[in-house]
Amino acid sequence: METGTADQKTPVEDADSGATRLSRADEAYQVLKRRILDNDLPAGAQLLEQELAESLNMSRTPVREAMVQLERDGLVEIRPRHGMRVLPISADDMREIYDILTALESTAAGLAAERGLSEDEIATLDVCVAEMDAALAANDLRRWARADEEFHARLTELSGNARLTALVEGYVERTHRVRMVTLTMRPKPTRSNQDHRKVVDAIRQRDPDRARRTHRRHRQRASALLTDLLRAREGGP
Amino acid sequence: METGTADQKTPVEDADSGATRLSRADEAYQVLKRRILDNDLPAGAQLLEQELAESLNMSRTPVREAMVQLERDGLVEIRPRHGMRVLPISADDMREIYDILTALESTAAGLAAERGLSEDEIATLDVCVAEMDAALAANDLRRWARADEEFHARLTELSGNARLTALVEGYVERTHRVRMVTLTMRPKPTRSNQDHRKVVDAIRQRDPDRARRTHRRHRQRASALLTDLLRAREGGP
DNA sequence: GGATGCGGTAGTGTATGCATTAGAGGATGC
DNA sequence: GCATCCTCTAATGCATACACTACCGCATCC
C-alpha cells in the first residue's frame, strides 16, 4: 500500500471530536454500516476486501472483521470469491423483520406499562407524538419519519430492558432503507399518530395488556402497508 | 508455532464426517461456543488469544474472528489486555433474556396458529409433549429438558419465520447453561407440560390470540421461576 | 458447434511479523 | 508504611506475506 499516504501509521491520532477512540475494525464497521444504511452502497453492490481496505485506508484484516459483523447484522452476504454483497430486502424479508419488531416492541410497551413510568418519562413520548403531529401538519414526511423512529426508540428504551432495546435498534436499522424509499408512496400516516397516542395512553394508565395489544395492532398495520408497497414494487418496475 | 505438529498445514484435509468444510474461523467459533455452552469453559474463565490459538491448533487470526462473533452472541466479553472472559448470567440478565424469548416465542405461537398447520406439523408438537410427559413419569429431568427444548424449537420453526427461528435459537442457547444448573433445584415441571398442551390446542384450533396469550403466560411463569432461583443462588452461596 | 479440459490469475483464508501500549510490579520518595 | 512514578513485559491490533483454490478464458477434441 502506498507508503506515501502518511496518516495511517498511528491508530489513534485521529484527533476527531475526541470521542471514544475507535479501533480500525470498529471504524470500518461503522463507516460501512452507515454507507449501507444511507443507501450510499445500494443493495446488490459487490465489494472486494481489497477495494474496501483501500477506500477505508487500512489493511484487509480490520475490514474482514467488519464484514463478518455486517453479515451477522443481516446487511450483507459474504460470498467467498466475490467479496461482500449488500443484501436487498424483499417483501418477505420485510414481513419477517416486522413480525420480529412487532413481537419485541409490543412486549416493550407492555413492560413499560408494567413498570409504571414517571410523568417525566411519559413526557418524552408525548414530545415525540407532538412532533409527529407537527411534522404531519407541515407535510414534512422526513421529519415525521425521524420523529416516528424517535418515538419507537424511546418507547423501547422505557421497557427498561437494555438487551431488548439493542435488539430492536438493530432490526429498525435494517428497515430504515426501505422505509425511506416507501415514505412518499404511502398514504399520509395520520392513523399512525392516533395509534401512538393510544399506546402512550395505555402506558400512562399502567395497563400492560392494552399497551401490548394496541402496539401490536399498530405494527401489524404498518407491516401490511410496507410489505404491500414492496410487493407492488417487486412486481412492477 | 511448533512446526513439528504436522496436521495444521492444509485447511481442509480434516476428513471428518465429510460434512460442510469448515474454515478455521468457523471451527474456532463452533468449538468455543460448544465449550462455553457445555460449561466446559465456565463463566468467569479468562482466555488469551494465544492460549486459544494453541488449544485449537491454529493461529491467532481465525481465533480473533471467532471471539468477535462470540462477543456478539453475548457469550463472552473481550477485554483488550485480558483476553476474552466467559460472561456469567445474573438473575437480571436472565429476566431480560426471558422477556425477549417470551415476546418472540409467543409471537411465533400466534403466527403458527394464524398460518394453520397441517395435522402432521401439529403432530411433531404432540410428540414433544408426549416425550415430556414420559420423561417426567420416568423422573428423568435431563430427558425432560431435552424434550422441552425440542418443543420450543419446533414451535418456533412452525411460525414459518426463519429469522425469528434463528434469533430465538440464539437466545435459547444463552439460557441453556443456567437451565441445566437449575434443573434439579426447581419443582417438578408438571405445570409446564399442561401449558404446552394448551398452546398446542390453541394452535390446532387456529386461535392466534389464545396461542399468544397462553404461551406468554407459560414463559412468564418459567421466567419468574428461574430468576427467583438465580437470585437465591446469588444471595446465598 | 458445443463440450471438455487446462493453465493462469485473482481473491481469499491463515500465518506471521511488528509497533504500540496497558498494566503489573518494583523502586523511590515522603 | 503508603503513594507515586517508572520501567519492562506481554498481549494486542494491524499490516503484510504466503499458500491455496475457484473461476475465467482459451484451446482442443469430439
Side-chain angles (χ1 to χ4, degrees):
Chain A
M1 179 172 300
E2 323 87 70
T3 44
T5 54
D7 60 352
Q8 73 189 79
K9 269 292 159 59
T10 55
V12 199
E13 57 156 322
D14 233 45
D16 62 41
S17 57
T20 37
R21 306 161 149 209
L22 289 182
S23 71
R24 309 292 254 179
D26 286 343
E27 185 194 330
Y29 174 69
Q30 307 234 352
V31 170
L32 290 179
K33 182 152 120 184
R34 176 58 56 99
R35 287 193 195 162
I36 293 170
L37 294 180
D38 291 354
N39 243 311
D40 199 350
L41 294 178
Q46 301 242 5
L47 299 142
L48 297 173
E49 287 187 6
Q50 196 59 251
E51 305 174 54
L52 290 172
E54 272 162 33
S55 105
L56 292 168
N57 223 303
M58 60 182 75
S59 85
R60 279 173 45 223
T61 311
V63 170
R64 268 185 76 83
E65 209 163 289
M67 281 170 58
V68 170
Q69 307 217 179
L70 290 170
E71 185 174 40
R72 288 224 132 195
D73 286 340
L75 290 173
V76 309
E77 167 196 35
I78 297 180
R79 294 191 312 163
R81 308 263 316 161
H82 304 273
M84 74 176 203
R85 194 174 76 94
V86 179
L87 286 174
I89 302 186
S90 72
D92 283 341
D93 295 329
M94 205 63 182
R95 195 183 38 71
E96 286 204 1
I97 293 175
Y98 257 83
D99 280 347
I100 291 171
L101 274 177
T102 302
L104 295 174
E105 284 190 357
S106 63
T107 288
L111 287 173
E114 249 167 50
R115 291 209 315 159
L117 303 183
S118 72
E119 197 48 49
D120 271 5
E121 289 174 312
I122 295 180
T124 55
L125 295 178
D126 285 332
V127 168
C128 294
V129 173
E131 169 69 6
M132 286 166 71
D133 282 341
L136 217 53
N139 236 342
D140 187 340
L141 285 178
R142 270 176 192 288
R143 184 174 156 202
W144 177 83
R146 253 200 314 280
D148 182 55
E149 287 194 9
E150 182 77 8
F151 175 84
H152 285 273
R154 289 296 144 269
L155 173 63
T156 313
E157 256 175 44
L158 291 174
S159 73
N161 185 327
R163 277 184 178 75
L164 194 153
T165 306
L167 190 56
V168 167
E169 194 189 334
Y171 281 97
V172 167
E173 275 175 357
R174 295 193 215 183
T175 64
H176 181 79
R177 283 178 292 170
V178 173
R179 271 211 316 285
M180 286 302 113
V181 172
T182 51
L183 198 52
T184 54
M185 303 161 63
R186 57 179 288 183
K188 224 178 166 187
T190 347
R191 174 62 181 262
S192 196
N193 286 20
Q194 286 171 29
D195 289 350
H196 290 141
R197 231 181 300 275
K198 279 187 201 162
V199 173
V200 176
D201 192 55
I203 290 175
R204 184 174 268 126
Q205 310 218 340
R206 311 205 171 174
D207 185 338
D209 220 62
R210 188 151 59 88
R212 261 201 306 273
R213 276 204 314 269
T214 313
H215 196 79
R216 170 173 287 278
R217 273 199 306 272
H218 165 55
R219 273 307 202 187
Q220 277 174 336
R221 260 194 298 277
S223 170
L225 208 147
L226 267 191
T227 48
D228 281 354
L229 281 178
L230 268 186
R231 222 176 291 279
R233 237 170 51 120
E234 278 171 15
Chain B
M1 177 172 301
E2 321 89 68
T3 45
T5 54
D7 61 351
Q8 73 188 79
K9 267 296 160 56
T10 55
V12 199
E13 57 156 323
D14 233 44
D16 62 40
S17 57
T20 37
R21 309 163 145 206
L22 289 181
S23 71
R24 310 292 258 179
D26 286 343
E27 185 194 330
Y29 174 70
Q30 307 232 354
V31 170
L32 290 179
K33 183 152 120 182
R34 177 56 58 100
R35 286 193 195 162
I36 293 170
L37 295 181
D38 290 352
N39 241 312
D40 198 351
L41 295 177
Q46 302 242 3
L47 299 142
L48 296 174
E49 287 185 8
Q50 196 60 250
E51 305 175 53
L52 290 171
E54 272 162 32
S55 105
L56 292 168
N57 223 303
M58 59 183 75
S59 83
R60 281 171 43 224
T61 310
V63 171
R64 269 185 74 83
E65 209 163 287
M67 282 169 57
V68 170
Q69 305 217 180
L70 289 170
E71 185 173 40
R72 287 221 131 197
D73 286 339
L75 290 174
V76 309
E77 166 195 37
I78 296 179
R79 295 192 312 163
R81 308 265 314 163
H82 304 272
M84 74 175 203
R85 194 173 76 94
V86 180
L87 286 175
I89 300 187
S90 71
D92 282 342
D93 294 329
M94 205 62 181
R95 193 183 39 70
E96 285 203 2
I97 293 174
Y98 257 81
D99 280 346
I100 291 172
L101 274 177
T102 302
L104 295 174
E105 284 190 358
S106 63
T107 288
L111 288 173
E114 250 167 50
R115 292 209 312 159
L117 303 184
S118 72
E119 197 50 47
D120 272 6
E121 289 174 313
I122 294 179
T124 57
L125 295 178
D126 285 332
V127 168
C128 294
V129 173
E131 170 68 6
M132 286 165 72
D133 281 340
L136 216 54
N139 236 341
D140 186 341
L141 286 177
R142 266 176 196 291
R143 184 173 155 205
W144 177 83
R146 252 200 315 280
D148 182 54
E149 286 195 9
E150 183 76 9
F151 175 82
H152 285 273
R154 287 297 144 267
L155 173 62
T156 312
E157 256 175 45
L158 291 174
S159 72
N161 184 329
R163 278 185 178 76
L164 195 154
T165 306
L167 191 55
V168 167
E169 192 189 335
Y171 280 97
V172 168
E173 275 174 357
R174 294 193 216 184
T175 64
H176 181 80
R177 284 178 292 171
V178 172
R179 271 210 317 285
M180 286 302 113
V181 172
T182 51
L183 198 52
T184 55
M185 304 161 64
R186 57 179 288 183
K188 222 177 166 187
T190 348
R191 173 64 181 262
S192 196
N193 286 21
Q194 286 171 29
D195 288 351
H196 290 141
R197 231 181 299 277
K198 280 188 200 160
V199 173
V200 176
D201 192 56
I203 290 175
R204 185 172 268 125
Q205 310 219 339
R206 311 206 171 172
D207 185 339
D209 219 62
R210 187 151 62 88
R212 260 201 307 274
R213 275 204 314 269
T214 313
H215 196 80
R216 168 173 288 278
R217 272 200 306 272
H218 165 55
R219 272 308 203 188
Q220 277 174 336
R221 260 194 298 278
S223 170
L225 208 148
L226 267 191
T227 49
D228 281 356
L229 281 178
L230 268 187
R231 221 176 290 282
R233 237 171 50 121
E234 277 171 16

